[in-house]
Amino acid sequence: MQQEEIKIHAFGPNHIEGAVALSRQENWPHRPQDWQMALQLSSGAVALGAHGQVTGTILVTPYGDECAMINMVIVDRNVRGKGLGRRLMEQAFALAEDRPLRLVATRDGMPLYEKLGFVPSGTVVQHQGHVAELDAPAAGVEAAAIVDLPKIKAMDRDAYGADREALIDALAERGEFAVVRRNGAIEAYAAIRPFGRGEVIGPVIAGSVEDAKGLISFFAASRPGAFLRVDTDSRSGIADWLTEIGLAHVGGGVTMDRPSKPDAAQARPKVYALANQALG
């Protein structure tokens, strides 16, 4: 297929079926529902071949004016090496306007991202598997209530450095939240929702390893043998523990930032478990 035969269009709900097929080509576990959630929160572009087949995808998820996350970047392996990835990234830049950008890069994607001004900022480690039977966490970890959402949103904003209110609302529609509550105050939170082969835990926003483990244990203890996934920053200090409870290390990626200004600094949380590579 020649490059001129591939046209870029706005990503719409009618492209989800083709996007699912393309992600399965990469052995990604995304269901149509997972793509629908990502699209609900994002704008995007899709590359269509001469016969209307989806040959590439990219989504841009804005978090207020502070930043945007690029995700679901896929190019059909049959048309790689012809500049389609760069064309999709250029569409993403236009959709993001002047926001600083973040993404999680695969090894294959890193050379292009570096050419486009992205710099590495960390490493994401992916764990998944059938969780072992766990004891319930210590007192203080409990299910969140609807009235806790404003505090969860504020805590998330402080930790992530951007407004992810729409993401929190989408997670509340589809999943559950847990919090660490001490003396009536929320000090940490985590979410869980259906995804792929089972459920994904994340984000996890906590100020200590103990609280992060407690939140993950809260969900895992009620689901012995369930298939769970947790993506966490390699600096979080919980990777070995995740392996111990049955969630094997199966891969990951490199977090990369592209600031809107050369010297702009971007906040990073102390413990941050991505919601399956930030939607992707």
Side-chain angles (χ1 to χ4, degrees):
M1 184 183 301
Q2 297 300 314
Q3 185 74 318
E4 57 269 18
E5 295 178 320
I6 300 175
K7 306 298 183 184
I8 306 295
H9 300 265
F11 197 123
N14 56 311
H15 299 123
I16 287 178
E17 181 179 353
V20 170
L22 196 61
S23 58
R24 287 177 177 165
Q25 182 188 93
E26 297 302 305
N27 294 317
W28 291 9
H30 297 68
R31 308 165 302 156
Q33 300 96 314
D34 302 321
W35 275 96
Q36 288 163 0
M37 176 177 167
L39 185 57
Q40 173 187 331
L41 297 169
S42 312
S43 299
V46 60
L48 300 179
H51 302 291
Q53 70 273 30
V54 174
T55 60
T57 62
I58 196 164
L59 295 181
V60 178
T61 310
Y63 296 132
D65 294 327
E66 293 86 359
C67 75
M69 193 82 186
I70 294 179
N71 49 74
M72 310 302 274
V73 184
I74 315 175
V75 173
D76 189 317
R77 63 187 62 180
N78 295 313
V79 296
R80 290 178 185 171
K82 299 180 180 180
L84 182 54
R86 180 180 286 271
R87 290 174 63 192
L88 288 168
M89 289 296 293
E90 289 170 352
Q91 291 293 314
F93 293 159
L95 291 168
E97 298 176 336
D98 61 350
R99 293 178 179 87
L101 295 172
R102 300 177 183 178
L103 55 77
V104 179
T106 62
R107 181 178 60 184
D108 291 341
M110 279 192 68
L112 172 61
Y113 301 141
E114 289 175 332
K115 290 177 183 176
L116 294 172
F118 286 85
V119 294
S121 58
T123 305
V124 171
V125 182
Q126 182 185 134
H127 287 80
Q128 65 182 31
H130 295 280
V131 69
E133 291 193 20
L134 298 177
D135 295 331
V141 185
E142 60 187 52
I146 294 295
V147 295
D148 295 324
L149 285 182
K151 176 59 179 177
I152 288 171
K153 291 175 180 178
M155 178 179 295
D156 186 86
R157 187 182 307 113
D158 289 343
Y160 191 72
D163 185 355
R164 299 196 296 178
E165 181 175 351
L167 172 63
I168 301 301
D169 287 338
L171 293 171
E173 291 174 7
R174 295 164 172 80
E176 307 167 34
F177 286 90
V179 296
V180 175
R181 198 187 309 269
R182 297 188 179 97
N183 299 319
I186 295 174
E187 297 187 0
Y189 92 87
I192 188 170
R193 68 176 174 91
F195 172 79
R197 296 170 58 189
E199 294 176 287
V200 60
I201 298 175
V204 177
I205 301 295
S208 71
V209 169
E210 291 73 22
D211 282 350
K213 289 180 178 180
L215 288 163
I216 294 169
S217 296
F218 178 84
F219 293 127
S222 64
R223 296 162 167 82
F227 190 88
L228 300 180
R229 172 174 167 176
V230 179
D231 295 357
T232 184
D233 190 301
S234 61
R235 297 165 292 190
S236 67
I238 64 173
D240 290 344
W241 175 77
L242 290 170
T243 301
E244 291 172 5
I245 67 171
L247 307 185
H249 177 204
V250 295
V254 176
T255 57
M256 304 189 78
D257 296 337
R258 185 179 188 263
S260 58
K261 297 179 181 179
D263 298 326
Q266 298 193 54
R268 288 293 181 185
K270 295 178 181 179
V271 176
Y272 173 42
L274 293 159
N276 65 43
Q277 299 181 15
L279 303 179

